[in-house]
Amino acid sequence: MRVHIPSVLRKWTGGRDVVDLQVATTSCMTAAEVIGTVARQFPGLRDRVLNEQGELRRHVNIFIDGENARFLGGLSAPVGANSEIWIHPSLSGGAPDSPEDATLLANSTLLLLLTSALTA
């Protein structure tokens, strides 16, 4: 199972853009279990993806094999052992604080658009 980390969240994964989880090929997890597993490795990530009640933050989307998890059952959505999960913080208003933030925002936007186009 592969979890793709967007550039804006990589400071909480030590710069890693992908986290590979080793699971049995016959096993199935929920999206919540996947996030929990990754968050145990990288604790700062949890608070950026889930709110205080353990629900997906309003401005974060998770895609499972190209499908938005919100339409697959949310955090209860099943995730297979060979699935790819993409975490996408939604884009909202406001100006970036620095040129680096602007680049991260542009890269995240491009990745979101490409993922959407590939799954359409």
Side-chain angles (χ1 to χ4, degrees):
M1 180 178 305
R2 178 166 275 196
V3 181
H4 297 270
I5 309 297
S7 57
V8 296
L9 297 178
R10 291 182 192 153
K11 64 179 150 185
W12 290 281
T13 62
R16 294 179 66 179
D17 61 339
V18 172
V19 176
D20 288 311
L21 302 178
Q22 301 302 316
V23 296
T25 57
T26 57
S27 70
C28 187
M29 300 172 77
T30 65
E33 291 170 328
V34 172
I35 297 300
T37 301
V38 173
R40 279 191 288 285
Q41 276 186 288
F42 306 102
L45 191 65
R46 183 197 184 282
D47 292 336
R48 275 78 193 168
V49 176
L50 304 177
N51 65 20
E52 296 77 18
Q53 292 78 35
E55 299 166 349
L56 192 59
R57 288 197 175 274
R58 194 170 55 132
H59 298 292
V60 174
N61 289 300
I62 295 176
F63 290 83
I64 303 167
D65 296 324
E67 298 289 328
N68 192 324
R70 292 186 193 275
F71 305 117
L72 300 173
L75 291 174
S76 299
V79 181
N82 295 317
S83 290
E84 293 207 34
I85 295 90
W86 295 81
I87 300 171
H88 285 289
S90 296
L91 304 175
S92 58
D97 294 329
S98 68
E100 293 82 14
D101 288 345
T103 300
L104 292 175
L105 181 62
N107 289 343
S108 294
T109 302
L110 181 59
L111 185 57
L112 181 60
L113 292 171
L114 288 173
T115 302
S116 298
L118 291 173
T119 59

